[in-house]
Amino acid sequence: MIKHTSLFPFIIMLAALFPWQLTSQSINTYGHADNVVLFTRMDTGGILQHHLSFSTPNPQVDTAIALYHSGSTHLIQSRHPAVYSDRSGELKLYAVRYDYHDSNHAFSGAIIWNGNHQVIDTIGTALISSAPSHSAYGYSWPLAAVPMPGNPDYIYLFTSTRYPNQYGIHNNAPRKLHWSLIDLSANNGHGSVIVDSQVLSPDSMAEGALALTKHANGRDYWLVSKKFTSREFVAYHIQPGGVMDTVYSVAGHHHTSDQNWNGVDFLFSPDGRWLADNTRITDTLLLLNFDASTGIVSDSNVRYVPQWNPFDGIGNPHFPAFSPNSRYLYVWKATFDQSGFFQYDLNTPDQQFFVNSRTVVHTTNPNNPNATYKNWRFLFTAANGKIYSRNAVNCPGWGFGLNSVESPNTAGIASQPRDTSFLLDSASMRGGYNMPDFPRFASSWLKEPLDFSYSHVCAGEGTPPTHFAFTDSVVDAFWSFGDTLAMGADTSNLFFPTYHYNQPGDYHVWAKALSYGMWDSISKVITIHPPAQVALGPDTVLTGNDTLVLDAGPDHISYNWSTGDSTRTITLYGNQLSPGDYMYHVEVTDTNGCTGTGSIMVTYEEDTTSIVQKAREPLWEVYPN
């Protein structure tokens, strides 16, 4: 492993001129991945763009927007668009490959649009070839967009460019990662490219091998790629102010050659622990280990879906997708007799248990023309917690829609796969070549947010303290319970802390935790209620045959009297009491789960008035006869 620090001088200069506040971004907000932009080719040669929002249980689509036409010298390629939304889920930027050539020159780059679908700029339009042809024509693909830590107005756009060599463009031609920087706030919010297509690394990288996840500190990012024809991984630590550390590590199998879909077999699990890697040449999908603190890729605890075996039907895995809770891996495979996708359980102790956990989730016969529209290739985990797949592969007339896995965190067929659960458009789609690709997001944007539960929400002395607990396993934690009267004593590092609130009210509880190698945070407002109120009245004296009804009050769910009764009221009868003092006590529980107590002293006295009156009456008198 080699590690060095590289700085982007231009960004450092910007930092000096415009000293933004380098504070942590809250990663409890997952709006970054809410939006997906899909491009399709129209019969007229133009591009039709759909904007989907996944912030709701079902996709929401806006009106399709027709971009300018592609002619013989201009071409917009719809594969692998880069998309970025802000933390509130508002679409802010998207980019797609753009090619241009004339009789003498050829260019390749990317067109960038803002969230209002206005062109910001065209980047990377450097001369690729002086004799444009399919054999000598270079090209560039937008791959991903991610905000600069500490300044979400600055967006990195990463692209992969394949350069022609003396043999032209082919699988052994060099390709390099480039970065551009877009200022979303420039030009009165229209946006502007302030750094254009700088080489990220001098190394030739495997085409499309790029994946993003959060750093363990919850603020920075890791961009991980793999060298061409190598086992060496390169991790770029994206930090505030344009600083990047580069980490090299060796793991997995040797990359030998590129295929058209190699890039979509390279991605992180949402928790950042697993890196899926498949070069397709070996036909084995590896689940490598990733350390989000150090950036090291390793195979010390590797899992893998093996090569195709016609005797047991296992293998040929492509287009992996992880469940939001990072427990289940879904992969697509195709054979001559059937295609479909399968589920594997990553929460298994070793490779054999992992392979044995394989469950068939869905199958399709590709030789049946009436079923090909259900093809489940290109699986994609969305921000609404579902997994989607594009359909209508090579099936004119069916239109374009999305298949879905409704409950991907659930084992087996209970994950609820559905064919064509969402129909996007039926008129503009004319075959498989129209199929768009889903964008690449930082995997941690798709992770289930950190959450905690709490119980016992009552204030006051004698009440149980409030109990807190994370809903997922964590290895480090910090709590702040929002009690300003505690003067800083309202914190804890326990996994299951308790805190006693003396006063009722609303409290802002904040917690962060290290879960699966990644820090996450969450804030909630919790309401602490006063103790249940009980009023039995003042102490009372009973005499003779008096009766007294003791009422513990309404709106309680349980009553526990010292007499053993469990009703709201009890009745006292004087003729059943002996002279003396009696203490009656009740404990109640209200609808908030808060308890309260009440008591009353009842004194019973004999009716002395009637006794004195009888004493004054004359007794029997006997007179002599």
Side-chain angles (χ1 to χ4, degrees):
M1 186 272 291
I2 304 172
K3 184 173 181 179
H4 67 271
T5 300
S6 61
L7 304 179
F8 297 159
F10 185 79
I11 304 177
I12 298 302
M13 180 181 68
L14 287 176
L17 294 176
F18 306 101
W20 50 70
Q21 186 179 7
L22 301 180
T23 58
S24 297
Q25 298 181 73
S26 169
I27 63 172
N28 186 45
T29 304
Y30 289 78
H32 291 306
D34 276 354
N35 296 293
V36 169
V37 176
L38 303 178
F39 296 87
T40 63
R41 298 183 189 177
M42 295 186 293
D43 292 340
T44 56
I47 292 292
L48 195 65
Q49 174 256 307
H50 297 270
H51 164 212
L52 299 180
S53 172
F54 289 89
S55 59
T56 54
N58 295 311
Q60 303 293 314
V61 61
D62 70 351
T63 302
I65 299 172
L67 306 177
Y68 58 81
H69 288 250
S70 301
S72 60
T73 59
H74 298 267
L75 178 63
I76 299 176
Q77 298 280 357
S78 61
R79 292 181 57 195
H80 301 306
V83 183
Y84 173 72
S85 304
D86 64 16
R87 289 182 294 176
S88 64
E90 181 180 353
L91 178 66
K92 304 299 288 187
L93 176 148
Y94 58 99
V96 70
R97 173 182 163 187
Y98 165 71
D99 296 337
Y100 166 78
H101 63 87
D102 56 28
S103 59
N104 298 312
H105 302 89
F107 301 87
S108 179
I111 298 180
I112 307 172
W113 288 268
N114 62 24
N116 296 320
H117 311 291
Q118 301 166 323
V119 174
I120 294 178
D121 204 346
T122 301
I123 65 169
T125 52
L127 178 66
I128 297 297
S129 173
S130 59
S133 68
H134 290 292
S135 62
Y137 179 23
Y139 57 81
S140 178
W141 290 111
L143 294 179
V146 69
M148 178 185 291
N151 189 357
D153 283 337
Y154 283 81
I155 307 301
Y156 289 113
L157 179 62
F158 297 100
T159 58
S160 175
T161 300
R162 176 179 285 187
Y163 294 87
N165 56 17
Q166 65 269 29
Y167 304 106
I169 293 295
H170 55 81
N171 284 345
N172 292 322
R175 72 277 295 142
K176 295 182 179 179
L177 290 178
H178 287 233
W179 66 273
S180 300
L181 190 66
I182 297 93
D183 182 359
L184 295 177
S185 63
N187 293 337
N188 297 318
H190 180 86
S192 176
V193 176
I194 57 177
V195 181
D196 185 359
S197 300
Q198 302 298 302
V199 176
L200 182 62
S201 170
D203 301 309
S204 183
M205 312 304 289
E207 184 175 2
L210 180 146
L212 282 157
T213 190
K214 276 282 188 180
H215 189 282
N217 63 19
R219 179 197 64 185
D220 304 342
Y221 288 93
W222 288 108
L223 183 152
V224 177
S225 186
K226 188 177 185 180
K227 287 186 179 182
F228 183 59
T229 64
S230 172
R231 295 179 62 232
E232 191 169 23
F233 291 85
V234 185
Y236 302 95
H237 179 189
I238 304 173
Q239 303 169 63
V243 180
M244 284 198 187
D245 290 343
T246 307
V247 179
Y248 296 89
S249 52
V250 176
H253 47 48
H254 191 274
H255 176 263
T256 56
S257 180
D258 284 331
Q259 299 293 330
N260 288 335
W261 55 34
N262 173 261
V264 295
D265 287 355
F266 195 89
L267 76 161
F268 280 112
S269 59
D271 62 14
R273 292 193 303 165
W274 301 98
L275 176 61
D277 175 31
N278 187 2
T279 64
R280 192 174 188 264
I281 297 304
T282 62
D283 190 25
T284 298
L285 176 65
L286 295 184
L287 283 306
L288 301 170
N289 315 120
F290 183 71
D291 188 328
S293 298
T294 64
I296 298 295
V297 180
S298 68
D299 49 17
S300 59
N301 189 30
V302 69
R303 301 284 186 273
Y304 60 90
V305 181
Q307 301 180 45
W308 167 245
N309 185 339
F311 298 101
D312 59 17
I314 298 176
N316 196 25
H318 294 290
F319 314 118
F322 293 93
S323 60
N325 65 0
S326 300
R327 174 169 180 173
Y328 296 108
L329 171 74
Y330 294 82
V331 296
W332 175 86
K333 70 108 178 174
T335 62
F336 294 105
D337 58 343
Q338 69 173 6
S339 67
F341 70 101
F342 306 88
Q343 182 195 78
Y344 292 83
D345 190 351
L346 285 164
N347 190 21
T348 47
D350 56 35
Q351 171 64 21
Q352 190 59 54
F353 279 94
F354 172 74
V355 173
N356 293 342
S357 71
R358 177 179 181 267
T359 302
V360 179
V361 179
H362 192 280
T363 58
T364 302
N365 183 357
N367 298 316
N368 180 359
N370 294 323
T372 54
Y373 76 97
K374 299 178 181 180
N375 200 301
W376 280 75
R377 297 199 304 173
F378 300 99
L379 303 177
F380 167 75
T381 304
N384 62 3
K386 301 180 183 181
I387 291 178
Y388 290 89
S389 167
R390 70 190 201 186
N391 61 15
V393 175
N394 198 23
C395 187
W398 280 104
F400 169 63
L402 300 177
N403 307 314
S404 66
V405 181
E406 295 291 306
S407 304
N409 289 339
T410 308
I413 60 174
S415 59
Q416 302 181 65
R418 294 181 181 176
D419 289 322
T420 318
S421 60
F422 179 78
L423 184 63
L424 176 63
D425 185 69
S426 58
S428 64
M429 306 305 299
R430 294 294 181 267
Y433 69 89
N434 283 326
M435 294 301 99
D437 288 335
F438 293 107
R440 304 165 195 255
F441 292 128
S443 63
S444 41
W445 294 346
L446 304 170
K447 179 180 179 291
E448 285 194 325
L450 181 71
D451 199 4
F452 65 81
S453 61
Y454 56 95
S455 60
H456 303 298
V457 287
C458 310
E461 295 183 2
T463 59
T466 303
H467 294 255
F468 295 90
F470 290 107
T471 57
D472 203 348
S473 60
V474 301
V475 296
D476 200 355
F478 177 81
W479 298 84
S480 176
F481 301 114
D483 188 359
T484 57
L485 298 178
M487 303 298 290
D490 61 333
T491 61
S492 175
N493 294 103
L494 300 177
F495 297 154
F496 305 98
T498 61
Y499 187 78
H500 192 277
Y501 291 94
N502 292 319
Q503 300 295 329
D506 292 334
Y507 293 87
H508 293 261
V509 178
W510 180 81
K512 70 173 183 177
L514 181 61
S515 176
Y516 301 116
M518 190 175 302
W519 282 100
D520 198 355
S521 62
I522 183 173
S523 176
K524 287 184 180 182
V525 177
I526 69 172
T527 299
I528 302 298
H529 301 277
Q533 302 300 309
V534 183
L536 297 180
D539 295 345
T540 303
V541 176
L542 295 183
T543 60
N545 293 325
D546 293 344
T547 60
L548 177 64
V549 177
L550 300 181
D551 189 346
D555 303 325
H556 302 310
I557 60 175
S558 68
Y559 302 85
N560 184 17
W561 292 89
S562 54
T563 59
D565 294 288
S566 58
T567 56
R568 171 182 169 178
T569 63
I570 61 174
T571 303
L572 305 181
Y573 299 93
N575 59 8
Q576 297 178 355
L577 299 176
S578 300
D581 296 328
Y582 298 87
M583 177 66 73
Y584 293 91
H585 176 85
V586 64
E587 181 179 87
V588 300
T589 303
D590 63 15
T591 55
N592 296 315
C594 298
T595 60
T597 59
S599 59
I600 185 174
M601 176 71 75
V602 177
T603 301
Y604 181 74
E605 297 179 350
E606 292 183 344
D607 191 348
T608 56
T609 302
S610 59
I611 295 176
V612 171
Q613 180 66 32
K614 290 180 179 179
R616 292 177 179 176
E617 292 180 356
L619 301 177
W620 287 97
E621 293 184 4
V622 178
Y623 296 93
N625 239 340

